[in-house]
Amino acid sequence: MSTHGDALTAAGWHPGRDVGDLAMSAALMTAAVVPPVAGTRGWTLFPAAREALREFHGLTLSPVAAGAGVAATGCVVDPREARHALRAFRALGDTIGEDVFPLGRTDADGLMGVTESGSLLCVDHGGHWLLGDSVADGLRALTRGRAPRRIAPRRWTWAAPATHEDPLENAVRTALVGVYVLHHRQLFGARALRLTVTALRGIGAEVLDHAVPLPGGSLDELAGPLAARMRQLVDAARTPLPGCALTVTVSAPDGTAAPYSSVSCAVRVGHSAAAPTAAELSLAAGAGTALGRPWRAVHECARDLARYAGASGEAEPETT
């Protein structure tokens, strides 16, 4: 274990370091390796990867501490060490909406990659991880044992307040709060609410699943007409609401880019026999929102919804 305070400096890094020819040679050798992965293209050397390799290629880092949150580990920065991970990095890139280029390998055999926005990621037997928002920050976190952030779907839940005596209209009004929050935090502008009714008896079959477009006008004015339209759908399906769970979902419209397309807000009522009028408010976000601005935007949404629900603070999300 190094006694130096900074693993990068101890490994020979310094501000302005540039090993251009060596880095580009290693990058070209990496890009030349295209594993037989059907239906996918090869490696793409984008600017953030090129800059990271010119600055850090060839460094061998050692741990500088026992580890603050997890065991500290060293690594080698050489893209050839992870050049066979095209399938894993391509799948991860599809999840986060950015290309990933190999950067090296950790002493624990984790494969490191850099994203188009410059973040440092790692894929290992335990899953997908964000080591740092920059390569330097990620390498220091690794060698200091700072816990990485898991790149995985998350879900927050709260008990929603009762704003109307009719459970269906209460669900619609709460869902419209979600519409406002998602738009205000610049994730997307919803165009419809989806009504789903599920029978609680037997195998829990869906008896109704229908999207109801959002008309123009203020959200306060829309609640009554939307609830009335949903009531018509329930009546037309001859579905008695007692004995059913009703969910109103705010999803990203078609054409929304990843990772925001994975975000949704939902309100569920009737799911509890003990409290059939109780409403549950939830926010779900896919694995791709674990990085950068999407991470901050989703957490801002979670804080807004927590305040609306009267929670003392942002709930700890579940990961799957």
Side-chain angles (χ1 to χ4, degrees):
M1 183 178 296
S2 172
T3 58
H4 294 269
D6 183 74
L8 287 173
T9 302
W13 174 87
H14 55 83
R17 183 178 186 269
D18 187 345
V19 291
D21 291 342
L22 290 174
M24 290 305 97
S25 177
L28 290 173
M29 291 176 66
T30 299
V33 174
V34 183
V37 180
T40 188
R41 54 190 170 84
W43 296 112
T44 300
L45 183 62
F46 42 82
R50 185 181 299 109
E51 293 170 8
L53 289 171
R54 291 176 69 98
E55 183 174 359
F56 299 106
H57 173 71
L59 296 180
T60 298
L61 284 72
S62 299
V64 296
V70 296
T73 186
C75 65
V76 58
V77 182
D78 186 335
R80 294 169 293 189
E81 292 290 322
R83 60 184 173 179
H84 297 288
L86 180 61
R87 186 189 299 273
F89 281 160
R90 186 66 67 204
L92 180 55
D94 290 343
T95 295
I96 64 174
E98 297 185 46
D99 268 349
V100 182
F101 192 84
L103 194 79
R105 182 185 295 270
T106 73
D107 291 351
D109 287 332
L111 304 176
M112 298 187 300
V114 59
T115 70
E116 290 180 273
S117 58
S119 298
L120 183 62
L121 310 183
C122 181
V123 176
D124 63 17
H125 64 278
H128 299 161
W129 309 91
L130 171 67
L131 299 179
D133 290 329
S134 70
V135 172
D137 181 57
L139 293 174
R140 289 190 172 104
L142 190 70
T143 56
R144 292 173 181 171
R146 194 165 71 226
R149 181 187 302 159
R150 181 182 289 277
I151 301 174
R154 292 160 293 145
R155 185 173 182 268
W156 293 258
T157 59
W158 305 271
T163 59
H164 197 277
E165 60 183 12
D166 175 33
L168 175 57
E169 184 156 343
N170 186 48
V172 171
R173 289 180 179 274
T174 304
L176 290 175
V177 172
V179 170
Y180 170 78
V181 168
L182 291 166
H183 176 74
H184 177 66
R185 294 302 178 184
Q186 299 180 13
L187 275 80
F188 57 79
R191 297 172 187 165
L193 300 180
R194 179 165 292 277
L195 172 65
T196 306
V197 180
T198 306
L200 297 180
R201 296 179 180 177
I203 61 173
E206 280 189 3
V207 294
L208 179 63
D209 183 26
H210 199 285
V212 179
L214 285 170
S218 72
L219 297 182
D220 284 341
E221 296 171 347
L222 296 182
L226 284 170
R229 173 57 182 147
M230 291 183 184
R231 180 73 65 181
Q232 291 174 350
L233 293 170
V234 170
D235 292 343
R238 299 180 181 179
T239 302
L241 289 184
C244 291
L246 180 153
T247 305
V248 179
T249 305
V250 185
S251 299
D254 292 342
T256 302
Y260 298 120
S261 56
S262 69
V263 180
S264 64
C265 178
V267 186
R268 186 170 61 153
V269 296
H271 55 286
S272 171
T277 62
E280 176 193 80
L281 171 63
S282 65
L283 176 68
T289 62
L291 283 71
R293 186 197 173 274
W295 169 267
R296 294 188 293 272
V298 168
H299 276 262
E300 288 169 349
C301 287
R303 284 193 291 268
D304 291 344
L305 294 174
R307 283 194 291 267
Y308 172 76
S312 56
E314 179 188 328
E316 188 68 23
E318 303 170 0
T319 57
T320 58

